[in-house]
Structures are given as C-alpha cells and as structure tokens.
Amino acid sequence: MKIYQVGGAVRDGLRGQKPEDFDYVVVGSTPEQMLALGFRRVGKDFPVFLHPDTGEEYALARKEIKTGCGHRDFRFVFGPEVTLEEDLIRRDFTCNAIARDPETGEYIDPFDGRKDIDRHILRHVNGEHFQEDPLRILRLCRFAAQLDFSPAEETLALVRRMTAAGMLAHLTPERVWKELEKALRFPGFPRFLETARQTGALQAVLPEVDRLWATPERTDHHPEKNSGAHTLLALKQAADASALVRFGILLHDIGKTMTPAEILPSHYLHEQNGLPLIDGICRRLKVPNRWHAFAKTVCRLHMKFCKIPEMRPGTLVDFCEDLMQSGGDIDDYIAVCRADMLGRAVTVGDEEKKLFNQNADTLHRVAKILADIRATDMPRFAELPKDGHFGELYREFRIRRVQTLLFPNTHKKDGR
C-alpha cells in the first residue's frame, strides 16, 4: 500500500499558496485493509475513508466508466491493481493531476501539470475522459476565476464543442448554482464570466446575463458601449467584496436587456424590468432566498442612491428601512452602488466620489438613528391606542427624529 497527496493541496503548494484541504489517494489497498487500519468509510459510490486521527479524506485509486449523460453517471473500478497514473488520468486539468509522496516530497507529474502551473494554463488531462463530465465546463470557468489561469487553446476548443452539443443541459440546477456560488467567492470572478462567454457556457446557463453584451449603453456615460462590458468593469471594482455583493452587481442592470429597441439606450424603467428576470433566474437555479432578495433590492433601488440629496426625511426613512429589511445590509447595497459608479471606462472624478461618500454617510447616519429608536420612546406611548393607526404614528415619530437629528436647521411640517 502506498499513499500520495493529490488535488488542490498539491497544486496550491506548488503555487506558493497555503493549502487548506488535504486529500490523499491510496494505491494497492482494499476497503478491508483500510478498515483494519482504523479508517472510517464514508463513500457510497466508491471507497472514501476518513483518517482516524486527522479526519482527512483518503480515497482508493480508481478508474471511471461512463454510464449516462449526467455528472454522476459513472461506474467506479477500484482495487489494488489500479495504478496511480490510471487514477490521475481521470482528473480534469493537468494542474490538478499531480501527486506528491509525503514521505519523500517527490512529485509524480505524468501530464506536465507543473509546467502549466508556471504558465498559468488550464489544460485538460485527457480529452476522452474530460468530455464525459459536463460539470467540467463550469469547473474550467470557476478555476479561471479561482487561479487566475487561462484555458489552453485545445481545452477551449474542446469545451466549446461540449457546450455546442448541449451537454450543460444534463446538469441539475443545484449543481449549476453551486459552481456559480463557488466562483462568486473569488476576487477573480470576472474571469469566470469571460471564460463562460468564450466557451458559450454563459449563454447556456445564464442567457439573461449573456444578453447584456448585446445591450447598448449611452456612450456619453458608458464609453464601454454595452451593459455587459459595464457589468464586467463593475465586478472588477469589487475585488474585496463579498460573494453576495458580486451577485448583486452581476444582476443589477439585467433589466436593460428588456428595453424596447425604439428607446435604446435610455433603458427607461430598467430597474422594474429586471425584477421578473431575477425571479426567473433564481427560481431556475434554486438560488437561496437571501441572495434572491438582495439581487432584487439592488436592481430595484440602485438608481436611487444618487438621489439621496433630493430626498425629504420621510422618503429617506422609507428608503433606508426598505434596504434594512431586504436580503443584504446597507453596506452591501453601498458596495454595489460604488462598483456601479466606478465600473466605467472613464476615470471617475473627485467630485463624483465626494458626493458618493456623502450619500453613503447619510445612509449610515439614518440607519444608526433608526436602529436606536424604540416604539416606547414615543411621547405618551402607554396611552396611545395600539390599533391599525399605530404604525403610521410610529413612522411619523421616526421621521421627526431623523429630521431633528439629521436636518436640525429645517422646519418642514411635512417630512414626507
């Protein structure tokens, strides 16, 4: 029996990154031998075992035989006779098909994965095995974002053929979302979109987003000329943002694709037009409710950020509470609006940045005031009738508090 370290830990170690998850392949062993050594079996389709002390995964070397069109339609062959190279050849990319002997530190690299790591290239290991799994189309896009690697030309050509053959239709919605959600967690998420467009995968799994590149913009405000290019630039401004914020940026202008041709590129009412599109995407991919709600909030309200200086106290309170009750928080919303402002093919001036920061500060201050108010703070609270009119009284009280603290020099009777 011989044990090798494999997978992302080996790849990341060679890239100078600290590995997080360690996986091992066991050559020359059987399930019975692993159990006798104290390992706990967890795999159903093929033998995967947890180390009795570390809890790390150890899988018997295996070969795969395709049995259907889906991502999981494989029969696995394992046993002492399966070699390390037979196990590595079934893996997706050469950078992921390197093994390391933990005893000697020697690397076993039959497919020149180390050279591709040095070149920042994603190259498939074996064309026949690669095209048996449609998920590898999206994994190519995700690894492009995760590693900042580019597809090899032959891999790009192979994936385009797979996409054109409709192979992505065999993936479940849950699996598509899982890969998208993983990719959203990386600062390089724009590479996911670029690679997905190169391969045709974006049109297959997110056609609504793909149409952004065919949607013109007003060149006086968006020299990038189309909504897709703007979305990509906005995402590049969100390298430090959360995955939720990136998802909001991805869909914030989706309604522009519904603008009638005769009024392009004014995109009148694109905020409202985007809501049913987001509903459709999130239902189709079974996106979690929090992500769904935040994307709709951003789509609906992102154009109102620049109008904050014009808002009366009542409008400002309603706007702020709308944000606070939606899927993200105010900082998430502001992060999307900041990326939207900066995501243009022009240099944003200091005055525009200053106004943006003032608007963000106003929102934060209103949110702080509202968070500190309690209904019991209302004058003569105990005597007030707790009927249907109470909510309106409480709203008016909150408006007056914001007006007093935020606009002390105003004397408007009607804060709405």
Side-chain angles (χ1 to χ4, degrees):
M1 184 175 75
K2 183 67 178 175
I3 296 175
Y4 298 93
Q5 192 180 72
V6 293
V10 176
R11 177 199 67 224
D12 291 344
L14 288 167
R15 296 174 60 235
Q17 305 292 319
K18 183 180 179 180
E20 295 183 359
D21 297 320
F22 293 89
D23 296 311
Y24 300 86
V25 65
V26 183
V27 179
S29 186
T30 65
E32 293 74 20
Q33 288 175 315
M34 298 295 288
L35 293 173
L37 290 170
F39 287 80
R40 291 182 292 113
R41 183 168 181 170
V42 294
K44 295 180 180 179
D45 298 326
F46 57 89
V48 176
F49 301 84
L50 299 182
H51 191 281
D53 298 324
T54 67
E56 294 169 340
E57 288 191 358
Y58 288 69
L60 295 185
R62 67 188 187 271
K63 295 187 289 186
E64 298 174 348
I65 298 174
K66 187 70 172 172
T67 59
C69 297
H71 164 60
R72 297 184 179 276
D73 295 331
F74 289 93
R75 179 168 64 85
F76 301 100
V77 177
F78 54 89
E81 71 282 358
V82 179
T83 67
L84 176 63
E85 185 164 332
E86 286 175 321
D87 183 273
L88 294 176
I89 199 172
R90 66 176 178 78
R91 297 176 184 267
D92 47 13
F93 305 107
T94 59
C95 63
N96 294 331
I98 307 168
R100 179 181 178 273
D101 186 333
E103 294 180 356
T104 66
E106 175 191 4
Y107 290 96
I108 297 87
D109 183 15
F111 310 109
D112 289 331
R114 297 177 74 178
K115 289 183 179 178
D116 285 334
I117 289 175
D118 291 340
R119 298 167 182 166
H120 290 202
I121 294 293
L122 288 167
R123 192 187 313 276
H124 63 277
V125 175
N126 177 279
E128 182 179 352
H129 286 307
F130 188 93
Q131 62 188 344
E132 290 176 340
D133 186 355
L135 183 63
R136 289 176 168 176
I137 299 171
L138 296 184
R139 281 173 63 86
L140 174 74
C141 304
R142 194 243 298 172
F143 277 122
Q146 179 179 342
L147 305 176
D148 196 22
F149 281 17
S150 299
E153 286 300 324
E154 62 268 29
T155 300
L156 201 56
L158 174 61
V159 171
R160 282 171 175 160
R161 292 196 296 272
M162 293 169 65
T163 303
M167 292 186 66
L168 284 167
H170 298 296
L171 294 179
T172 64
E174 293 90 343
R175 194 68 223 195
V176 173
W177 167 248
K178 187 174 182 179
E179 284 301 310
L180 177 60
E181 190 267 340
K182 285 181 180 179
L184 282 162
R185 297 190 181 277
F186 296 109
F189 178 70
R191 293 293 296 268
F192 177 94
L193 287 184
E194 291 169 328
T195 307
R197 289 194 68 232
Q198 280 183 295
T199 60
L202 191 63
Q203 198 282 328
V205 299
L206 280 174
E208 302 91 341
V209 174
D210 190 62
R211 284 199 293 270
L212 286 168
W213 274 265
T215 302
E217 288 275 13
R218 284 180 48 181
T219 55
D220 57 336
H221 189 65
H222 284 290
E224 56 274 14
K225 298 181 181 179
N226 66 73
S227 300
H230 162 60
T231 298
L232 201 60
L233 287 173
L235 284 164
K236 290 178 179 180
Q237 294 292 333
D240 297 328
S242 67
L244 181 68
V245 167
R246 292 192 187 103
F247 187 62
I249 296 169
L250 178 67
L251 300 183
H252 81 286
D253 271 349
I254 199 76
K256 290 181 177 179
T257 64
M258 300 297 290
T259 305
E262 60 270 18
I263 62 173
L264 277 173
S266 66
H267 302 305
Y268 179 64
L269 291 180
H270 75 274
E271 308 98 300
Q272 294 301 317
N273 291 339
L275 301 181
L277 291 178
I278 292 173
D279 284 338
I281 291 169
C282 292
R283 281 196 298 263
R284 185 175 75 242
L285 298 184
K286 301 185 179 180
V287 175
N289 290 339
R290 178 169 176 259
W291 296 65
H292 185 174
F294 179 68
K296 290 184 69 173
T297 297
V298 164
C299 179
R300 181 168 54 88
L301 299 178
H302 70 279
M303 293 294 289
K304 291 189 176 182
F305 184 86
C306 61
K307 298 178 181 178
I308 287 174
E310 306 166 18
M311 292 182 183
R312 293 181 176 182
T315 305
L316 194 53
V317 166
D318 292 342
F319 175 54
C320 194
E321 289 189 331
D322 193 355
L323 289 174
M324 293 165 68
Q325 294 167 6
S326 300
D329 59 27
I330 285 179
D331 285 328
D332 291 332
Y333 168 77
I334 290 172
V336 174
C337 294
R338 180 177 286 107
D340 187 28
M341 173 189 66
L342 296 175
R344 300 184 305 220
V346 291
T347 300
V348 178
D350 291 341
E351 192 61 34
E352 188 172 355
K353 292 179 183 178
K354 180 181 178 181
L355 179 59
F356 182 95
N357 291 334
Q358 289 173 346
N359 290 348
D361 180 63
T362 298
L363 267 187
H364 281 131
R365 292 170 65 192
V366 173
K368 177 65 168 59
I369 293 169
L370 295 177
D372 290 341
I373 296 175
R374 299 292 180 269
T376 52
D377 297 333
M378 298 171 65
R380 304 173 65 185
F381 169 78
E383 302 172 18
L384 293 174
K386 309 304 186 291
D387 55 17
H389 187 54
F390 181 80
E392 182 60 26
L393 292 175
Y394 185 39
R395 175 178 177 271
E396 291 176 358
F397 173 71
R398 290 161 75 83
I399 292 170
R400 287 196 299 272
R401 181 67 64 87
V402 168
Q403 183 168 338
T404 299
L405 297 178
L406 204 61
F407 309 104
N409 296 323
T410 63
H411 302 282
K412 294 178 181 177
K413 295 181 180 180
D414 183 3
R416 295 170 291 180

